Amino acid sequence: MRVYYQDTDAAGVVFHATYLDFFERARMEWMRSRGFDARQLASGFRVAFVVRQLEVSYFKPALLDDQLQVGAVLETMGRAQLTFAQTIRRGSETLVCATVNVACVGIENFKPVAIPGVVRESLADGVAPATRDKIQAGRLRRERKPHRLVNNV
């Protein structure tokens, strides 16, 4: 992902909240790579994923025209929640890390609902094997894994 002028302040440094947009795009591309986009989730399943909680650590700034790699890895899946470990890198440098928890909500009232079964099955392919086994066995507990670097999305 390239940093454009619109992403920066007057000094050519990426604005701190813009990283959240980058993370959102990576999560949506991750979902799309598993067969689901936001429109399909809303129209077909009547659900949306909304950010519930996030923790961000900023290490170095991204600058105008930088080419960034933005990653998302599904760390845990609950009945109605997903937790992602995300990073933004410039080459070998880690610029920003985040842990983002999203909730599955019904689009009529935005109250939490269970992740639809077919969506859950598809997303389970994106988690670590031990977590996937627990999901398939129906015994996933809320476990926090240490933050780790992720692949590009």
Side-chain angles (χ1 to χ4, degrees), residues 57-73:
S57 296
Y58 300 92
F59 303 111
K60 294 182 178 184
L63 306 171
L64 181 63
D65 279 332
D66 279 352
Q67 183 67 37
L68 305 177
Q69 299 81 42
V70 184
V73 168

Side-chain angles (χ1 to χ4, degrees), residues 23 27 51 53-57 75 83-87 97-102 144-148:
F23 285 139
R27 287 192 309 279
V51 173
Q53 182 178 15
L54 70 109
E55 181 179 323
V56 182
S57 296
E75 289 289 309
T83 300
F84 291 88
Q86 295 197 251
T87 60
C97 288
T99 301
V100 183
N101 177 264
V102 297
R144 291 296 302 256
K145 296 180 182 177
H147 196 76
R148 60 189 166 100

Side-chain angles (χ1 to χ4, degrees), residues 28-150:
M28 291 312 301
E29 289 303 320
W30 184 90
M31 291 286 286
R32 188 182 310 276
S33 74
R34 279 145 185 84
F36 301 100
D37 62 34
R39 188 179 313 173
Q40 178 186 19
L41 290 168
S43 65
F45 297 99
R46 312 296 294 158
V47 300
F49 286 95
V50 298
V51 173
R52 182 179 163 273
Q53 182 178 15
L54 70 109
E55 181 179 323
V56 182
S57 296
Y58 300 92
F59 303 111
K60 294 182 178 184
L63 306 171
L64 181 63
D65 279 332
D66 279 352
Q67 183 67 37
L68 305 177
Q69 299 81 42
V70 184
V73 168
L74 182 60
E75 289 289 309
T76 62
M77 183 184 323
R79 186 183 76 79
Q81 296 180 43
L82 305 172
T83 300
F84 291 88
Q86 295 197 251
T87 60
I88 297 176
R89 298 174 62 85
R90 177 181 50 224
S92 62
E93 295 179 289
T94 299
L95 306 181
V96 183
C97 288
T99 301
V100 183
N101 177 264
V102 297
C104 183
V105 298
I107 61 170
E108 293 83 17
N109 58 14
F110 289 91
K111 291 186 178 181
V113 297
I115 299 168
V118 67
V119 175
R120 172 180 290 286
E121 289 173 18
S122 179
L123 300 184
D125 289 338
V127 298
T131 303
R132 185 173 50 245
D133 293 344
K134 291 177 187 176
I135 291 167
Q136 290 168 347
R139 63 180 199 276
L140 180 65
R141 294 186 181 91
R142 292 183 187 200
E143 298 173 1
R144 291 296 302 256
K145 296 180 182 177
H147 196 76
R148 60 189 166 100
L149 297 180
V150 298

